[in-house]
Amino acid sequence: MVLTGAGMSQESGLRTFRDTGGTWEHYRVEDVATPEAWRADPELVLRFYNERRKDLMKALPNSGHTGLAQLEKYFDVYIITQNVDNLHEQAGSSQVLHLHGELMKVRSTRDPELIYELDHWELNLGDRCELGSQLRPHIVWFGEAVPNFYLAIPIVEEADILVVIGTSMVVYPAAGLVDYARPGTPVYVIDPGEPALGSRKVTLIPKKASEGVQQLIEILTENLDINNEKS
Ligand code: APR
């Protein structure tokens, strides 16, 4: 199981949230990423996500993303990501669970089951679902439930190896996921900064995602019989 955060996509040109120069230095969370913000100023909220979508449409997966996709040759890899970009999918990872929603999807404000794929960057006031109500970003805002968390728990509980990449580990419930691992499960953390690991025992690879994933692949495949690829 690989838990990823904004640092995973930093080398693809997408800003992280809490590093120096990060997104939350440019915007206040409460102005753009809460249900209250949506009620108070939906236009600003839409503009914020339109900018994020525009950036995403210019971005490409980096070698960290592609390295994780290649790991599927040797392991059953489940990616649980806090990222709302689709760079893991673009890199070819086949099992990706998004905890905080997806930037390239929008949904009805009347029926949350009505979810649509966007193939362009812009969502505006007046863009409506088939029931006639305003569309909103398919994003989990602060203060909203995280429904996919309950799908993530059994994946972590069954994992033989945990990998955490590019997340400050301060936003819950996502940051608490690693605590569902069976005792003794090895945990690798790839991050050039100082994620909040608490007293967890981990193997830290203090590198950016691209270089760190290459090192991880070397560690994890070192003792594998190379003829023993998954069929
Ligand atoms: N490679 C790997 N890690 C990196 C890189 C990089 N190139 N650059 C920065 N990092 C690390 C930072 O050191 C930090 O630990 O990525 C982490 C980014 O942390 P945050 O900006 O807090 O992002 P994240 O943990 O994903 O945020 C969680 O908060 O605002 C919300 O919903 C948003 O999903 C997001 C959640």
Side-chain angles (χ1 to χ4, degrees):
M1 190 287 288
V2 185
L3 174 67
T4 65
M8 185 78 227
S9 300
Q10 186 267 336
E11 291 161 277
S12 294
L14 302 181
R15 275 205 301 257
T16 61
F17 293 98
R18 294 174 185 79
D19 291 308
T20 308
T23 297
W24 296 145
E25 274 186 7
H26 295 83
Y27 290 90
R28 286 170 6 121
V29 170
E30 40 290 83
D31 290 341
V32 294
T34 63
E36 292 76 20
W38 176 245
R39 280 195 291 276
D41 193 347
E43 215 159 353
L44 175 65
V45 173
L46 289 174
R47 203 181 321 138
F48 173 74
Y49 287 102
N50 284 347
E51 279 174 22
R52 309 274 77 71
R53 214 174 284 116
K54 217 193 238 179
D55 289 345
L56 171 57
M57 290 183 83
K58 283 185 272 179
L60 290 171
N62 62 58
S63 61
H65 296 104
T66 50
L68 292 178
Q70 283 156 14
L71 260 191
E72 292 190 13
K73 276 199 275 183
Y74 307 103
F75 300 94
D76 281 322
V77 182
Y78 287 84
I79 295 182
I80 301 176
T81 186
Q82 298 166 85
N83 297 345
V84 295
D85 65 52
N86 56 9
L87 297 179
H88 285 303
E89 289 91 337
Q90 283 191 44
S93 284
S94 61
Q95 309 189 93
V96 184
L97 181 67
H98 287 268
L99 289 177
H100 295 162
E102 294 175 68
L103 208 40
M104 295 310 296
K105 292 183 180 171
V106 297
R107 72 168 184 264
S108 165
T109 44
R110 182 170 331 157
D111 177 356
E113 301 291 315
L114 286 178
I115 299 166
Y116 306 87
E117 294 260 359
L118 274 193
D119 60 1
H120 53 278
W121 60 272
E122 219 174 353
L123 178 67
N124 291 312
L125 277 185
D127 292 345
R128 297 178 188 283
C129 74
E130 64 213 57
L131 301 176
S133 53
Q134 175 66 41
L135 290 167
R136 60 163 273 181
H138 184 50
I139 298 286
V140 175
W141 286 324
F142 283 91
E144 293 189 314
V146 186
N148 282 352
F149 186 69
Y150 299 97
L151 300 178
I153 292 172
I155 300 173
V156 180
E157 285 173 337
E158 284 166 29
D160 296 313
I161 302 169
L162 296 195
V163 181
V164 177
I165 306 176
T167 169
S168 56
M169 298 283 275
V170 296
V171 174
Y172 281 78
L177 259 184
V178 286
D179 298 326
Y180 287 86
R182 286 171 298 190
T185 308
V187 182
Y188 296 89
V189 175
I190 299 172
D191 197 306
E194 291 178 359
L197 298 169
S199 56
R200 295 179 183 106
K201 248 187 79 189
V202 308
T203 302
L204 181 64
I205 301 176
K207 295 191 169 156
K208 288 189 171 192
S210 57
E211 225 186 305
V213 167
Q214 294 317 313
Q215 189 171 329
L216 176 80
I217 293 174
E218 280 164 30
I219 296 170
L220 296 183
T221 57
E222 202 174 21
N223 299 318
L224 282 183
D225 179 351
I226 213 71
N227 298 314
N228 218 2
E229 286 186 10
K230 275 175 61 213
S231 52

